[in-house]
């Protein structure tokens, strides 16, 4: 029987699966999904020039000599619209996010100013402490108190009391967020295929999308097969093997944002198996654990083919996990995963992860790989691509990878301990301590476009 390499098998899988259709979901439910539509800005953001700081909106040309004393003619809070136009020598107290008044071309942070205590009790909207205040002494300040002329649009009382000393000179545009600098009305801000991260959710809320079109998630069924298997809800029988695969596979799917359906355990009996497989083929994806090998009681192959499935491969040149199968029945896809618990999980990572992510519309379908330094020698017989469970530790300049210990394909504790799978290319003769190896990370939500390893 023909063995495919891991990458050939991955290519067969990805060529056989298509992105599913779209559905509408609430914004609150969209995290981790993939956008199925183009999203445009529905207005200019910000809608006008706004202040980036709490401080004073002013005319930068007034700051020729520092310190400069300006007259505060208005107090603009976020949500207010300015009502006055600044003349020379005037400023407006302004809060972050508030619109810039006419006539102003810069903002000075409150930290770079001092209020001036004119000696009279007066309201202080910013609530600055008197320790930040200086007494009105300068004739320059007094000269600003002009009930007529440029200050004529404020009352004499405001003229007298609302003065501020500016301690910094700035250029026009300082600390202003410009109209439309975040997004322009009608501009495409998100394209189909974008994974919805918290940042994307923020953008969607900005453009008022309470609902979005995302690609559908596949409906996944998981079936375990084997007379020896004991269900999680069954009493412990020393002669049986606990069904761990259904649950480990379930969790691997859940980690991708999919809630699979567990079909239970089918006995090694062609009729019973056919009934279970038929039910499984109602789903977009059927994962069958066990029974894909060549033992006389491995009925999965003849039974699934009798149900009309077209199997595209049965063997991949990898360790652990070579009895791994893949096929299609119409639009439905079927994975035959090895019964050995580690093999089943490793095969899920190599073949099922990219398939499920492709169906959900992701461009990055593969788990992230990193380079790591092996802390010890690793034996390897040339022939098959080998995945070694490793723990990772950060070290200067990168990561150190250490085997989780014995690597038998039934030793599930090795998967429980592993941070990643170190990939030994098929033709490699083993690794010496200190050599670099590619490690496929098992956790995390970051994926990449290519498998990222040579085999
Ligand atoms: P098979 O692929 O059916 O030949 O099974 C290979 C090995 O994996 C056997 O030792 C099985 O007992 C074991 N096995 C099969 N299915 C499961 C399962 N669902 N959970 C745990 N072990 C399993
Ligand atoms: Mg079996």
């Amino acid at each position: 029987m023909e063995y495919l390499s891991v990458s050939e098998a991955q290519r067969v899988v990805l060529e056989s699966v298509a992105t599913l259709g779209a559905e509408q979901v609430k914004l609150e439910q969209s995290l981790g999904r993939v956008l199925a539509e183009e999203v445009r800005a529905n207005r200019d953001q910000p809608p006008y020039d706004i202040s980036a700081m709490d401080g004073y909106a002013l005319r930068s040309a007034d700051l020729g000599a520092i310190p400069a004393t300006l007259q505060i003619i208005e107090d603009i809070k976020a949500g207010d619209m300015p009502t006055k136009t600044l003349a020379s020598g005037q400023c407006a107290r302004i809060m972050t996010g508030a619109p810039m008044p006419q006539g102003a071309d810069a903002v000075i942070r409150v930290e770079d100013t001092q209020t001036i205590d004119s000696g009279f009790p007066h309201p202080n909207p910013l609530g600055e402490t008197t320790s930040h205040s200086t007494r009105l002494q300068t004739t320059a300040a007094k000269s600003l108190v002009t009930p007529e002329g440029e200050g004529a649009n404020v009352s004499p009382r405001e003229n007298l009391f609302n003065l501020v000393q500016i301690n910094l000179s700035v250029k026009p545009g300082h600390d202003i967020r410009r109209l439309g600098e975040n997004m322009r009305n009608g501009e495409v801000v998100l394209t189909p295929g974008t994974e919805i991260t918290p940042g994307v959710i923020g953008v969607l809320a900005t453009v008022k999308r309470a609902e979005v079109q995302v690609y559908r998630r596949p409906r996944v069924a998981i079936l375990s097969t084997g007379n020896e298997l004991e269900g999680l809800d069954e009493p412990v029988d020393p002669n049986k093997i606990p069904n761990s695969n259904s649950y480990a596979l379930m969790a691997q799917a859940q980690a991708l944002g999919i809630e699979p359906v567990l079909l239970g355990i089918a006995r090694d009996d062609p009729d019973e198996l056919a009934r279970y497989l038929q039910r499984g083929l109602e789903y977009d994806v059927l994962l069958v654990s066990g029974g894909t090998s060549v033992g006389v009681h491995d009925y999965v192959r003849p039974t699934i083919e009798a149900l009309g499935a077209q199997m595209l491969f049965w063997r991949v040149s990898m360790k652990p996990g070579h009895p791994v199968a893949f096929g299609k029945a119409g639009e439905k896809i079927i994975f035959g995963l090895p019964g050995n618990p580690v093999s089943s999980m490793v095969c899920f990572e190599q073949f099922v992860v990219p398939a499920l992510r492709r169906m959900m519309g992701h461009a990055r379908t593969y788990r992230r790989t990193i380079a790591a330094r092996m802390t010890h020698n690793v034996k390897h017989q040339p022939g098959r691509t080998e995945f070694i469970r490793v723990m990772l530790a950060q070290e200067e300049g990168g990561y150190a990878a250490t085997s989780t210990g014995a690597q038998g394909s039934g030793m599930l504790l090795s998967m429980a301990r592993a941070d990643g799978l170190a990939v030994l290319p098929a033709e490699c003769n083993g690794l010496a301590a200190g050599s670099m190896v590619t490690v496929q990370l098992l956790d995390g939500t970051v994926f990449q476009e290519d498998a990222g390893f040579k085999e």
Side-chain angles (χ1 to χ4, degrees):
M1 182 172 297
E2 199 197 339
Y3 281 73
L4 298 187
S5 69
V6 175
S7 61
E8 285 166 343
Q10 286 171 329
R11 197 177 58 226
V12 169
V13 169
L14 284 179
E15 281 172 2
S16 310
V17 301
T19 297
L20 298 171
E23 65 181 354
Q24 187 99 342
V25 295
K26 286 202 159 77
L27 184 62
E28 295 93 316
Q29 257 95 61
S30 67
L31 182 65
R33 306 294 292 271
V34 179
L35 263 186
E37 60 171 327
E38 188 177 82
V39 175
R40 290 173 182 269
N42 64 336
R43 60 179 162 199
D44 294 330
Q45 268 294 330
Y48 26 69
D49 289 358
I50 61 173
S51 174
M53 293 288 166
D54 289 342
Y56 295 89
L58 45 71
R59 302 162 67 101
S60 56
D62 286 346
L63 308 180
I66 288 300
T69 302
L70 301 178
Q71 177 191 29
I72 306 164
I73 61 163
E74 192 171 17
D75 186 22
I76 312 165
K77 300 189 288 297
D80 288 351
M81 289 309 288
T83 59
K84 292 171 182 165
T85 298
L86 298 193
S88 178
Q90 296 183 328
C91 67
R93 193 179 273 116
I94 194 163
M95 300 296 130
T96 307
M100 292 292 290
Q102 290 291 320
D105 68 355
V107 170
I108 291 277
R109 299 182 306 167
V110 70
E111 291 89 331
D112 295 320
T113 69
Q114 275 167 302
T115 49
I116 294 168
D117 184 350
S118 60
F120 299 97
H122 62 84
N124 189 342
L126 273 185
E128 290 136 28
T129 59
T130 46
S131 66
H132 281 182
S133 299
T134 52
R135 286 194 70 84
L136 177 64
Q137 312 145 322
T138 61
T139 50
K142 279 186 183 133
S143 72
L144 275 168
V145 184
T146 50
E148 274 132 8
E150 288 178 335
N153 59 350
V154 292
S155 72
R157 193 181 144 75
E158 280 175 308
N159 263 353
L160 256 178
F161 303 140
N162 291 324
L163 296 176
V164 63
Q165 179 181 303
I166 311 292
N167 298 326
L168 186 74
S169 153
V170 291
K171 293 204 172 72
H174 189 76
D175 278 337
I176 298 176
R177 293 194 193 132
R178 292 291 179 196
L179 181 155
E181 77 173 25
N182 189 21
M183 53 183 81
R184 299 302 304 224
N185 188 20
E187 175 191 349
V188 174
V189 288
L190 299 166
T191 51
T194 302
E195 181 172 328
I196 302 183
T197 60
V200 170
I201 297 226
V203 171
L204 288 166
T206 300
V207 300
K208 307 287 283 184
R209 295 300 305 268
E211 298 201 332
V212 279
Q213 287 279 322
V214 297
Y215 293 111
R216 194 164 69 72
R217 285 190 284 223
R219 286 169 295 129
V220 176
I222 297 173
L223 175 65
S224 280
T225 71
N227 288 343
E228 76 281 25
L229 297 181
E230 174 186 282
L232 190 60
D233 51 355
E234 290 183 281
V236 174
D237 176 341
N239 299 317
K240 291 203 157 180
I241 302 291
N243 170 20
S244 57
N245 289 359
S246 289
Y247 300 94
L249 293 169
M250 170 199 75
Q252 285 180 296
Q254 286 172 333
L256 301 177
I258 293 166
E259 202 53 57
V261 171
L262 301 190
L263 298 180
I265 301 166
R267 305 290 143 194
D268 293 318
D269 166 80
D271 292 337
E272 180 168 328
L273 194 57
R275 280 198 303 280
Y276 274 92
L277 290 174
Q278 198 132 36
R279 263 197 69 200
L281 288 175
E282 291 168 13
Y283 295 81
D284 298 313
V285 179
L286 170 60
L287 306 181
V288 186
S289 146
T292 53
S293 201
V294 289
V296 281
H297 298 295
D298 290 331
Y299 295 117
V300 170
R301 178 166 199 174
T303 313
I304 196 89
E305 285 178 337
L307 289 173
Q310 185 206 355
M311 298 307 284
L312 300 174
F313 63 77
W314 284 94
R315 297 283 177 269
V316 177
S317 182
M318 64 189 282
K319 180 185 175 185
H322 70 96
V324 55
F326 170 75
K328 295 188 79 170
E331 293 297 294
K332 314 298 175 70
I333 63 168
I334 306 132
F335 287 94
L337 299 171
N340 278 308
V342 174
S343 313
S344 148
M345 292 189 75
V346 170
C347 287
F348 185 101
E349 293 300 327
Q350 308 318 317
F351 309 112
V352 186
V353 166
L356 296 180
R357 284 183 59 87
R358 169 62 54 83
M359 294 174 107
M360 292 188 284
H362 289 279
R364 294 177 182 161
T365 54
Y366 291 101
R367 285 228 178 261
R368 163 75 64 92
T369 52
I370 59 160
R373 187 186 59 85
M374 212 62 217
T375 60
H376 51 82
N377 296 336
V378 182
K379 290 204 185 91
H380 180 248
Q381 298 285 343
R384 293 188 278 164
T385 306
E386 187 170 358
F387 297 88
I388 293 172
R389 279 79 74 201
V390 294
M391 297 172 292
L392 292 170
Q394 219 158 359
E395 62 176 18
E396 196 169 335
Y399 290 91
T402 304
S403 163
T404 56
Q407 295 283 316
S409 58
M411 306 186 83
L412 202 43
L413 275 172
S414 69
M415 275 310 276
R417 293 191 185 113
D419 296 311
L421 300 171
V423 189
L424 270 59
E427 295 321 314
C428 138
N429 280 301
L431 289 178
S435 44
M436 296 304 287
V437 66
T438 299
V439 177
Q440 185 181 55
L441 300 180
L442 287 171
D443 60 349
T445 54
V446 180
F447 292 79
Q448 62 192 26
E449 282 178 31
D450 302 313
F453 54 78
K454 291 202 183 70
E455 53 190 348

